[in-house]
Amino acid sequence: MNSLQNKTALITGSARGLGKAIAERYAALGANIVLNFSKDNISAEETLSNIEAMGAKAIAIQADVSKVTDIERLFNETKKAFGKIDIVVANAGIEMVETPVTQYTEEQFDRLFNINTKGAYFTMQQAAKNIEDNGRIIYIASSTTVYPIPGMAVYGGSKTTPRYLVDVLSKEIGNRGVTVNSIIPFAVDHSGIFVDPNAYPELRKSLIESCPMGRLAKVEDVANLAEFFASDLSSFVNGQHLLVNGGANQ
């Protein structure tokens, strides 16, 4: 088993869904965990309790990643609590689907880009400034950045810019032994828009039909790769974008 003993991991958007699964995986591997949430303090407290029950040290910090001052505070409080940061997962984001290009509003555009693009960018910027040598920076992207899907233009676009940042940042700080990679998940069951198993039935059906394995991704599928990228096994894997999609063609 990989060990993250004595490592400190900060995961944005980790009260529930993918972020929660990644945080709990890292906790099981011995890391100190910093949970981040924007509004859902109830889920954050539940996740915090789960992690503490594993015997791991953890704190939960409220911060809105669309605000740079909140991101800076998040990193400062993490270092104050644990003294260092070894792993940063830029996971926080929102989704919007089944909306044609002609119907997106300026307000919707701004909201998606403020959280998904600006938030991820400045999270990784702070990670680059604060992470320990030989640390790990991981961006959670979306398969819509590889396979364009009607109705997801602004969502997919908002997730594309941080992917390019991964390419550049991996070259700028690789000399410190820090790796910067992205995970590109397929639609994930029990996460995001598919938290409700009855939501978006036609889209769910279409996505499942596009996957040779006949299902959506599970949060564990993504956590597996997050474990790899955080561990010593990936010490020479840098600037990479890995699909977790079961061979789906969208």
Side-chain angles (χ1 to χ4, degrees):
M1 178 180 287
N2 295 313
S3 174
L4 299 181
Q5 202 72 37
N6 300 318
K7 303 289 187 182
T8 296
L10 164 60
I11 305 100
T12 64
S14 47
R16 56 188 179 180
L18 277 184
K20 173 184 177 181
I22 293 169
E24 291 181 346
R25 177 67 62 86
Y26 288 172
L29 296 171
N32 303 319
I33 303 297
V34 178
L35 300 172
N36 159 248
F37 67 100
S38 176
K39 296 177 181 178
D40 192 352
N41 61 300
I42 294 175
S43 293
E45 288 298 326
E46 290 176 352
T47 303
L48 185 63
S49 295
N50 291 344
I51 289 172
E52 289 176 337
M54 298 178 190
K57 296 178 181 178
I59 60 172
I61 301 174
Q62 186 280 330
D64 180 349
V65 299
S66 70
K67 299 175 181 177
V68 175
T69 53
D70 274 26
I71 296 172
E72 291 173 344
R73 176 174 55 79
L74 174 62
F75 277 80
N76 289 336
E77 290 185 11
T78 297
K79 291 180 75 172
K80 183 178 180 180
F82 293 111
K84 65 187 180 96
I85 304 172
D86 303 285
I87 303 160
V88 175
V89 182
N91 168 72
I94 58 172
E95 296 175 81
M96 188 170 183
V97 301
E98 296 185 345
T99 305
V101 170
T102 54
Q103 293 181 17
Y104 274 101
T105 66
E106 182 180 8
E107 181 182 10
Q108 291 167 337
F109 182 98
D110 287 346
R111 184 164 183 262
L112 283 162
F113 270 79
N114 280 339
I115 295 173
N116 295 351
T117 309
K118 179 182 174 182
Y121 181 95
F122 285 100
T123 295
M124 287 192 276
Q125 181 194 71
Q126 285 299 309
K129 290 180 177 181
N130 289 284
I131 203 160
E132 296 291 302
D133 288 353
N134 302 308
R136 304 285 185 264
I137 300 174
I138 303 163
Y139 169 57
I140 306 299
S142 164
S143 60
T144 59
T145 64
V146 179
Y147 302 107
I149 299 176
M152 299 191 191
V154 176
Y155 170 66
S158 72
K159 299 290 283 185
T160 298
T161 299
R163 278 193 58 192
Y164 185 74
L165 174 60
V166 166
D167 294 331
V168 175
L169 191 57
S170 66
K171 292 175 171 57
E172 291 183 350
I173 62 176
N175 64 310
R176 293 173 47 205
V178 177
T179 66
V180 188
N181 297 288
S182 78
I183 299 173
I184 308 177
F186 187 49
V188 182
D189 224 350
H190 304 295
S191 181
I193 62 170
F194 292 118
V195 166
D196 178 356
N198 298 313
Y200 301 97
E202 292 303 317
L203 177 59
R204 176 187 287 268
K205 180 175 180 290
S206 172
L207 291 168
I208 290 174
E209 288 175 349
S210 77
C211 180
M213 300 185 78
R215 64 173 176 87
L216 300 184
K218 300 176 183 177
V219 292
E220 293 83 6
D221 296 322
V222 182
N224 288 340
L225 193 50
E227 176 182 337
F228 169 72
F229 275 143
S231 75
D232 290 341
L233 292 175
S234 64
S235 60
F236 203 60
V237 180
N238 193 27
Q240 300 304 305
H241 310 278
L242 295 187
L243 278 161
V244 184
N245 74 338
N249 59 11
Q250 67 169 300

